[in-house]
Amino acid sequence: MAAALEASGQYRVLRRLGDRSRVPIPEGVRTRVGLFVDTETTGLDPRKHEIIELAMVPFRYGLDGVVYEVMAPFQSFRQPAEPIPLEITELTGIDDAMVAGGVIDVDEVTSWVAPADLVVAHNAAFDRRFLERFCATFSTKPWACSMSEVDWKAEGHEGTKLAWLATGAGFFYDKHRATNDCLAAIELLAEPLPKSGVPALTKLLEKARLPNWRIWAQNSPFTMKDKLKARGYRWSGDDSVPAKTWFIDVADEAKDAELLWLQQEVYGGEIDLLSRRIDAFDRFSERA
């Protein structure tokens, strides 16, 4: 029935995400172990909010981006020091009763993270900051982001939210639960992209392997703030180093052009800027 509806050209049928079948690994193919992670938390700030759920799903992949196997997941709840805010319960479905007495064992988490060659998250800039504070082993691994390091828009998708991407790929799942989010994201990475035809993981690995540069526009004129913001610069807060400074991350090959733009359009002359090379080992981390 589903095939008939699809064939009519008048309908799209979404399938429920199921278990992904193991793909035999061809002889001589080198593989790596990825670890997809997802956290549910009491808020957005890792300095004051807490993890209430952690899921980790290991998967085996080839260096070319083919996913061969999705392995058994880890999932655990954690009771925070304060009651879970109502808006978090409404978003995630996790309430105080579900996490009561829950503890996530750091040693157990370490044993799951240690074998991973790459840690992946959908919005790694969020998950990495929480997880590095929780378990130091996460800071020793290279990270990649399935949200920002795949050009989903260029492939025909309208957004980067996980649920939107899943719908575009033809499946649905129970959202905002950590394990389900991990499995859905791995499925997206394993499937061929609609335009390039290669697995999304291939594009992710290509981007993750490249270095980029963080450039701080120190002591930039206040009158230039709107121009900097329009170009994509962000403002670092009081707790950043350097603090209260506009900054941007650019690709390795775009560094010189960005410095020239700052010199000509912002400072109007010679400048002495702070920049730092960033790779997958510290990208998305507060250490960057």
Side-chain angles (χ1 to χ4, degrees), residues 152-165:
W152 297 106
K153 184 177 180 180
E155 292 290 341
H157 289 276
E158 296 182 358
T160 59
K161 287 187 177 181
L162 198 54
W164 294 353
L165 293 171

Side-chain angles (χ1 to χ4, degrees), residues 91-102:
L91 176 67
T92 66
I94 302 173
D95 58 24
D96 292 318
M98 293 174 65
V99 302

Side-chain angles (χ1 to χ4, degrees), residues 23-75:
V23 177
I25 301 173
E27 186 176 352
V29 169
R30 297 167 59 193
T31 64
R32 297 288 187 268
V33 174
L35 186 69
F36 209 102
V37 300
D38 186 61
T39 58
E40 302 297 345
T41 67
T42 58
L44 301 177
D45 189 343
R47 295 166 298 181
K48 61 182 181 181
H49 296 129
E50 300 180 69
I51 295 171
I52 54 176
E53 184 184 19
L54 170 63
M56 301 182 288
V57 180
F59 62 99
R60 190 172 302 281
Y61 66 92
L63 298 180
D64 58 355
V66 175
V67 175
Y68 291 104
E69 180 183 8
V70 179
M71 292 169 264
F74 167 98
Q75 184 276 336

Side-chain angles (χ1 to χ4, degrees), residues 147-160 165 193-197 203 207:
M147 183 176 75
S148 64
E149 294 189 302
V150 177
D151 194 344
W152 297 106
K153 184 177 180 180
E155 292 290 341
H157 289 276
E158 296 182 358
T160 59
L165 293 171
L193 290 164
K195 291 188 177 180
S196 62
K203 295 292 188 180
K207 188 70 175 291

Side-chain angles (χ1 to χ4, degrees), residues 62-135:
L63 298 180
D64 58 355
V66 175
V67 175
Y68 291 104
E69 180 183 8
V70 179
M71 292 169 264
F74 167 98
Q75 184 276 336
S76 185
F77 289 116
R78 178 179 178 273
Q79 181 177 348
E82 302 290 336
I84 298 173
L86 178 60
E87 60 269 23
I88 298 299
T89 296
E90 291 174 345
L91 176 67
T92 66
I94 302 173
D95 58 24
D96 292 318
M98 293 174 65
V99 302
V103 176
I104 303 176
D105 185 86
V106 176
D107 291 336
E108 185 178 8
V109 171
T110 298
S111 70
W112 279 73
V113 179
D117 297 294
L118 178 69
V119 179
V120 189
H122 200 75
N123 193 3
F126 175 83
D127 293 285
R128 183 165 194 172
R129 292 186 300 142
F130 275 93
L131 288 172
E132 286 191 343
R133 288 171 176 266
F134 182 76
C135 175

Side-chain angles (χ1 to χ4, degrees), residues 218-260:
Q218 297 180 102
N219 302 314
S220 57
F222 179 78
T223 55
M224 293 289 107
K225 64 182 181 63
D226 291 336
K227 185 175 245 185
L228 289 164
K229 188 175 180 179
R231 192 169 172 88
Y233 281 75
R234 293 172 287 165
W235 182 253
S236 61
D238 292 329
D239 59 335
S240 301
V241 180
K244 297 183 178 180
T245 303
W246 290 100
F247 71 93
I248 194 171
D249 293 338
V250 298
D252 191 48
E253 64 273 14
K255 178 191 175 187
D256 290 342
E258 191 63 30
L259 293 176
L260 181 62

